[in-house]
mmCIF file of all heavy atoms in Angstrom:
data_model
loop_
_atom_site.group_PDB
_atom_site.id
_atom_site.type_symbol
_atom_site.label_atom_id
_atom_site.label_comp_id
_atom_site.label_asym_id
_atom_site.label_seq_id
_atom_site.Cartn_x
_atom_site.Cartn_y
_atom_site.Cartn_z
ATOM 1 N N ARG A 85 11.699 -86.553 97.257
ATOM 2 C CA ARG A 85 12.926 -87.212 97.715
ATOM 3 C C ARG A 85 14.155 -86.643 96.999
ATOM 4 O O ARG A 85 15.197 -86.419 97.615
ATOM 5 C CB ARG A 85 12.811 -88.717 97.472
ATOM 6 C CG ARG A 85 13.727 -89.524 98.323
ATOM 7 C CD ARG A 85 13.456 -91.013 98.243
ATOM 8 N NE ARG A 85 12.037 -91.333 98.394
ATOM 9 C CZ ARG A 85 11.326 -92.041 97.522
ATOM 10 N NH1 ARG A 85 11.890 -92.523 96.444
ATOM 11 N NH2 ARG A 85 10.052 -92.295 97.735
ATOM 12 N N LEU A 86 14.031 -86.387 95.692
ATOM 13 C CA LEU A 86 15.133 -85.817 94.928
ATOM 14 C C LEU A 86 15.507 -84.442 95.466
ATOM 15 O O LEU A 86 16.696 -84.136 95.655
ATOM 16 C CB LEU A 86 14.755 -85.722 93.451
ATOM 17 C CG LEU A 86 15.749 -84.998 92.539
ATOM 18 C CD1 LEU A 86 17.078 -85.746 92.501
ATOM 19 C CD2 LEU A 86 15.172 -84.830 91.156
ATOM 20 N N VAL A 87 14.522 -83.609 95.720
ATOM 21 C CA VAL A 87 14.791 -82.272 96.262
ATOM 22 C C VAL A 87 15.442 -82.378 97.640
ATOM 23 O O VAL A 87 16.388 -81.640 97.949
ATOM 24 C CB VAL A 87 13.494 -81.430 96.306
ATOM 25 C CG1 VAL A 87 13.696 -80.150 97.074
ATOM 26 C CG2 VAL A 87 13.010 -81.134 94.895
ATOM 27 N N ALA A 88 14.981 -83.299 98.464
ATOM 28 C CA ALA A 88 15.578 -83.474 99.788
ATOM 29 C C ALA A 88 17.035 -83.909 99.677
ATOM 30 O O ALA A 88 17.906 -83.396 100.399
ATOM 31 C CB ALA A 88 14.782 -84.492 100.594
ATOM 32 N N TYR A 89 17.335 -84.844 98.774
ATOM 33 C CA TYR A 89 18.716 -85.296 98.587
ATOM 34 C C TYR A 89 19.596 -84.161 98.070
ATOM 35 O O TYR A 89 20.739 -84.007 98.509
ATOM 36 C CB TYR A 89 18.788 -86.461 97.606
ATOM 37 C CG TYR A 89 18.335 -87.784 98.171
ATOM 38 C CD1 TYR A 89 17.672 -88.701 97.381
ATOM 39 C CD2 TYR A 89 18.572 -88.122 99.492
ATOM 40 C CE1 TYR A 89 17.244 -89.911 97.885
ATOM 41 C CE2 TYR A 89 18.158 -89.339 100.008
ATOM 42 C CZ TYR A 89 17.506 -90.230 99.199
ATOM 43 O OH TYR A 89 17.093 -91.423 99.703
ATOM 44 N N LEU A 90 19.080 -83.369 97.153
ATOM 45 C CA LEU A 90 19.856 -82.255 96.627
ATOM 46 C C LEU A 90 20.139 -81.215 97.706
ATOM 47 O O LEU A 90 21.238 -80.670 97.784
ATOM 48 C CB LEU A 90 19.141 -81.618 95.437
ATOM 49 C CG LEU A 90 19.128 -82.445 94.153
ATOM 50 C CD1 LEU A 90 18.239 -81.784 93.109
ATOM 51 C CD2 LEU A 90 20.528 -82.640 93.617
ATOM 52 N N LEU A 91 19.145 -80.929 98.538
ATOM 53 C CA LEU A 91 19.352 -79.979 99.628
ATOM 54 C C LEU A 91 20.358 -80.509 100.642
ATOM 55 O O LEU A 91 21.225 -79.776 101.123
ATOM 56 C CB LEU A 91 18.023 -79.661 100.314
ATOM 57 C CG LEU A 91 17.082 -78.748 99.550
ATOM 58 C CD1 LEU A 91 15.731 -78.681 100.250
ATOM 59 C CD2 LEU A 91 17.682 -77.372 99.418
ATOM 60 N N LEU A 92 20.258 -81.775 100.987
ATOM 61 C CA LEU A 92 21.186 -82.378 101.929
ATOM 62 C C LEU A 92 22.611 -82.385 101.374
ATOM 63 O O LEU A 92 23.562 -82.000 102.068
ATOM 64 C CB LEU A 92 20.738 -83.801 102.273
ATOM 65 C CG LEU A 92 21.604 -84.560 103.259
ATOM 66 C CD1 LEU A 92 21.526 -83.900 104.630
ATOM 67 C CD2 LEU A 92 21.152 -85.997 103.341
ATOM 68 N N GLY A 93 22.744 -82.794 100.142
ATOM 69 C CA GLY A 93 24.070 -82.816 99.510
ATOM 70 C C GLY A 93 24.666 -81.430 99.379
ATOM 71 O O GLY A 93 25.861 -81.225 99.622
ATOM 72 N N GLY A 94 23.842 -80.451 99.004
ATOM 73 C CA GLY A 94 24.321 -79.082 98.891
ATOM 74 C C GLY A 94 24.730 -78.509 100.234
ATOM 75 O O GLY A 94 25.733 -77.792 100.341
ATOM 76 N N GLY A 95 23.979 -78.827 101.267
ATOM 77 C CA GLY A 95 24.327 -78.356 102.611
ATOM 78 C C GLY A 95 25.631 -78.960 103.100
ATOM 79 O O GLY A 95 26.464 -78.266 103.695
ATOM 80 N N MET A 96 25.810 -80.247 102.850
ATOM 81 C CA MET A 96 27.058 -80.904 103.243
ATOM 82 C C MET A 96 28.249 -80.335 102.468
ATOM 83 O O MET A 96 29.319 -80.109 103.048
ATOM 84 C CB MET A 96 26.949 -82.412 103.046
ATOM 85 C CG MET A 96 25.999 -83.078 104.019
ATOM 86 S SD MET A 96 25.684 -84.816 103.685
ATOM 87 C CE MET A 96 27.310 -85.507 103.689
ATOM 88 N N LEU A 97 28.072 -80.111 101.185
ATOM 89 C CA LEU A 97 29.143 -79.536 100.372
ATOM 90 C C LEU A 97 29.495 -78.132 100.854
ATOM 91 O O LEU A 97 30.681 -77.777 100.948
ATOM 92 C CB LEU A 97 28.737 -79.508 98.905
ATOM 93 C CG LEU A 97 29.756 -78.921 97.939
ATOM 94 C CD1 LEU A 97 31.037 -79.745 97.947
ATOM 95 C CD2 LEU A 97 29.175 -78.842 96.541
#
Side-chain angles (χ1 to χ4, degrees):
R85 201 171 312 125
L86 173 63
V87 170
Y89 284 145
L90 288 173
L91 285 172
L92 181 66
M96 291 173 56
L97 180 62

